[in-house]
Amino acid sequence: MLLAVAALAAFGGTPSAARDQDEARQALQAGEIRPLAEILDAVRGKLPGEIVRVKLEREMGRWMYELRVVDHRGRLLEIYVDARSGMVERTKEK
């Protein structure tokens, strides 16, 4: 749980960031999302490079972890993972 909250620290110190962190914590406690550590364990072998940023966001009513990954050729990729199932939903190059 601490890893998920720490990952959300990227939102900054604004009041909305605190609200976002509270919402994410509640989602975790309610079982709506899995802890970031579990998600990373599940997808690490499937990723084409190194994770450089993680963001948790709500997208069309679903929680998604957005992983920014730099591949072996230096490309920046955004990989979207369903925060409940751990399934990779889509990948796009930035």
Side-chain angles (χ1 to χ4, degrees):
M1 181 164 107
L2 291 177
L3 287 175
V5 173
L8 293 173
F11 287 118
T14 65
S16 65
R19 185 175 55 247
D20 291 342
Q21 289 175 0
D22 288 342
E23 189 177 0
R25 189 177 303 109
Q26 290 170 359
L28 182 64
Q29 291 171 346
E32 295 175 23
I33 64 174
R34 290 173 49 194
L36 178 59
E38 285 183 22
I39 296 295
L40 293 178
D41 285 344
V43 301
R44 196 173 306 275
K46 301 173 188 174
L47 300 178
E50 183 178 340
I51 299 169
V52 295
R53 180 178 166 194
V54 177
K55 187 168 131 181
L56 178 64
E57 56 189 25
R58 203 156 172 99
E59 192 175 276
M60 296 190 306
R62 294 175 51 208
W63 286 103
M64 301 292 286
Y65 283 106
E66 177 190 305
L67 308 177
R68 290 222 175 157
V69 174
V70 175
D71 73 4
H72 66 280
R73 291 190 275 170
R75 294 180 305 168
L76 181 62
L77 306 169
E78 286 183 352
I79 300 175
Y80 294 87
V81 179
D82 183 284
R84 179 179 284 195
S85 71
M87 298 295 296
V88 175
E89 295 287 323
R90 67 184 186 280
T91 300
K92 71 178 186 179
E93 188 173 347
K94 285 296 281 179

